[in-house]
Amino acid sequence: EAGVAQSPRYKIIEKRQSVAFWCNPISGHATLYWYQQILGQGPKLLIQFQNNGVVDDSQLPKDRFSAERLKGVDSTLKIQPAKLEDSAVYLCASSLGQGVYEQYFGPGTRLTVT
Amino acid sequence: KQEVTQIPAALSVPEGENLVLNCSFTDSAIYNLQWFRQDPGKGLTSLLLIQSSQREQTSGRLNASLDKSSGRSTLYIAASQPGDSATYLCAVRGGADGLTFGKGTHLIIQP
């Protein structure tokens, strides 16, 4: 079974530029998550999708971050404009559903904003 | 708001020792608790998942326990090996939310 795929793996941009990350979850997984992991911290949930609907985006900085999951499969996370403090690893995870189901993580995208 | 604390923040032990990593959480209303391993520059690898109705889970040299009422979990690693060196993260899941993570324990096993 293929795991969660993410691209790109690394990205370096200047502040005020825009960037987009892509995630392809495990086939059949209805729930998809985006997490932000700043160096030395545990991951923090940014947004959770159930199929193509948003379940929780309370910690997403909506003035600069946006995410979508068209057709309930792949998802993209966008930052525009980027700030220095957005430098982090962005992790995508998926699960069969909410609640008791295990989450599986992708390899992450390491973003550096200079 | 759920908070997860992991102790110790860092640990260095000689190869072959048995060790215990601790995790505590403030809200006992959880669906489950997961232990992850993270190698430098890599994503998260799930080690063990304990549902709220379970007391422990075992996989090879790893054993995780859960005491939901006291808000505690431990990860026991038997006969540690240099390949066990990594950061270990504890995370809890409550309601319809995603996971709430601790900051992790950075483990070094000395050959």
Side-chain angles (χ1 to χ4, degrees):
Chain A
E1 177 183 86
V4 177
Q6 290 188 247
S7 67
R9 292 295 313 277
Y10 306 92
K11 190 75 176 178
I12 300 174
I13 62 172
E14 296 182 351
K15 60 183 179 183
R16 291 187 290 273
Q17 287 186 326
S18 63
V19 64
F21 312 129
W22 173 82
C23 173
N24 180 243
I26 293 173
S27 177
H29 281 197
T31 314
L32 184 147
Y33 313 80
W34 284 101
Y35 291 84
Q36 180 194 56
Q37 186 177 23
I38 293 172
L39 187 65
Q41 305 286 322
K44 181 186 79 172
L45 178 69
L46 292 176
I47 189 167
Q48 176 185 345
F49 292 93
Q50 179 68 19
N51 297 310
N52 60 353
V54 175
V55 174
D56 180 9
D57 63 357
S58 58
Q59 299 191 87
L60 187 73
K62 299 180 187 64
D63 58 334
R64 298 183 300 105
F65 285 64
S66 65
E68 61 181 8
R69 190 183 184 196
L70 299 176
K71 301 180 181 179
V73 181
D74 293 5
S75 176
T76 56
L77 176 69
K78 297 179 182 178
I79 307 175
Q80 183 180 11
K83 293 185 175 181
L84 295 176
E85 58 260 37
D86 298 332
S87 294
V89 176
Y90 291 85
L91 295 161
C92 179
S94 70
S95 63
L96 280 170
Q98 298 178 49
V100 300
Y101 296 101
E102 186 171 0
Q103 291 188 31
Y104 297 85
F105 282 77
T109 296
R110 181 176 297 276
L111 173 67
T112 301
V113 182
T114 63
Chain B
K1 178 184 174 183
Q2 180 75 267
E3 293 183 3
V4 179
T5 302
Q6 291 188 244
I7 295 173
L11 183 63
S12 180
V13 300
E15 179 178 4
E17 285 199 3
N18 303 323
L19 52 98
V20 175
L21 308 183
N22 296 292
C23 171
S24 62
F25 47 96
T26 55
D27 186 349
S28 61
I30 63 171
Y31 275 111
N32 54 48
L33 182 146
Q34 270 183 273
W35 282 94
F36 293 89
R37 168 184 175 140
Q38 187 171 35
D39 293 284
K42 302 290 179 63
L44 304 181
T45 301
S46 181
L47 298 173
L48 290 163
L49 169 70
I50 310 176
Q51 301 293 352
S52 62
S53 58
Q54 297 174 321
R55 296 285 293 183
E56 65 178 334
Q57 283 285 337
T58 298
S59 176
R61 296 182 293 106
L62 304 179
N63 175 275
S65 66
L66 174 63
D67 184 342
K68 198 175 76 162
S69 61
S70 68
R72 296 179 186 275
S73 176
T74 61
L75 178 67
Y76 176 83
I77 303 177
S80 58
Q81 303 171 358
D84 295 331
S85 298
T87 295
Y88 290 79
L89 292 159
C90 167
V92 298
R93 186 168 192 180
D97 299 335
L99 294 169
T100 301
F101 284 83
K103 292 183 178 181
T105 294
H106 182 56
L107 176 64
I108 296 175
I109 307 298
Q110 306 156 10

